[in-house]
Amino acid sequence: MELEVGDVVMCTVDRIAGTIVFVDIEENGQGSIVLSEIAPGRIRNLREYVVPKKKIICKVLRDTQNGNIELSLRRVTKKETKEVKEQYKKEKSCINILKGILGEKSEKVINEILKTNKVDDFMQNAKEDSKDFEKIVGKTEAKKIIEILMAQKQKKDCDKKEIKFTTTKPNR
């Protein structure tokens, strides 16, 4: 998958060298974050924000000519972070289902799916039209996997806010 400017991606902090943080981008190689893109304002202790092996959500700023991908941690909104984490969880869930049902041949199937699409998107499409999925996996395994996917409950997203009204006038 090719990254474009503005994409929001899941990364794992690899190492910190001076004022540059090097990260492994999920399935897309490596990138770097300069100190000014870690957080707004002055940073007294860089390790408050990033430590090796920590998963973080970053935004792609640019892809330089020498192949380095420059990222930003501070430009990612809370909404974008939530969306990427949710997508990451769905992706891992689908991969675990495939591994549980298919066993050893799951790696081959996952690689075949990743050539055209994300695993979660492919599996959601397979719920409606399972022909492509059956070609890759086989009819009996496809049926089992789709039954599991249908049984999963979709989380409903809702925001709760509490509003309190007060007045300075006495009760009437």
Side-chain angles (χ1 to χ4, degrees):
M1 187 175 106
E2 194 66 31
L3 293 176
E4 296 178 8
V5 174
D7 285 351
V8 182
V9 292
M10 175 78 77
C11 304
T12 305
V13 177
D14 183 33
R15 66 187 187 283
I16 301 169
T19 60
I20 299 175
V21 178
F22 293 95
V23 296
D24 292 322
I25 304 168
E26 289 285 319
E27 301 160 7
N28 284 301
Q30 289 203 325
S32 61
I33 310 169
V34 294
L35 185 67
S36 63
E37 291 296 334
I38 299 289
R42 185 167 180 219
I43 299 173
R44 293 181 189 270
N45 185 2
L46 183 61
R47 301 220 185 259
E48 288 178 11
Y49 300 95
V50 289
V51 292
K53 306 289 184 233
K54 180 179 180 181
K55 292 214 179 280
I56 57 175
I57 312 295
C58 296
K59 187 174 277 193
V60 177
L61 295 180
R62 66 189 72 83
D63 191 357
T64 59
Q65 291 178 352
N66 62 1
N68 185 35
I69 300 171
E70 294 181 11
L71 304 163
S72 173
L73 182 61
R74 74 178 175 97
R75 296 184 192 197
V76 180
T77 64
K78 287 183 180 181
K79 182 181 177 185
E80 290 171 330
T81 300
K82 183 179 177 185
E83 289 171 358
V84 170
K85 283 183 179 179
E86 200 63 38
Q87 181 65 34
Y88 182 75
K89 284 181 186 177
K90 287 180 183 177
E91 194 82 7
K92 290 298 177 192
S93 173
C94 289
I95 289 171
N96 288 336
I97 290 170
L98 287 172
K99 285 181 179 178
I101 300 292
L102 302 175
E104 293 176 5
K105 80 177 200 183
S106 65
E107 288 299 319
K108 180 183 170 191
V109 171
I110 291 168
N111 290 333
E112 186 71 28
I113 292 170
L114 288 173
K115 289 178 184 175
T116 58
N117 212 340
K118 290 184 177 181
V119 177
D120 178 50
D121 294 339
F122 187 84
M123 300 291 268
Q124 295 305 320
N125 293 337
K127 281 188 197 178
E128 286 119 35
D129 183 24
S130 62
K131 291 177 186 173
D132 293 337
F133 190 51
E134 288 175 0
K135 288 177 189 174
I136 295 173
V137 179
K139 211 167 196 169
T140 56
E141 284 90 357
K143 190 174 180 181
K144 288 179 188 176
I145 292 169
I146 290 172
E147 285 176 10
I148 292 170
L149 291 173
M150 293 293 201
Q152 284 182 332
K153 293 181 181 177
Q154 294 293 325
K155 288 185 178 179
K156 292 182 180 177
D157 194 24
C158 64
D159 291 332
K160 293 182 181 179
K161 293 188 178 185
E162 191 173 305
I163 300 172
K164 186 176 180 181
F165 292 102
T166 59
T167 181
T168 56
K169 296 185 178 184
N171 290 344
R172 292 184 184 192

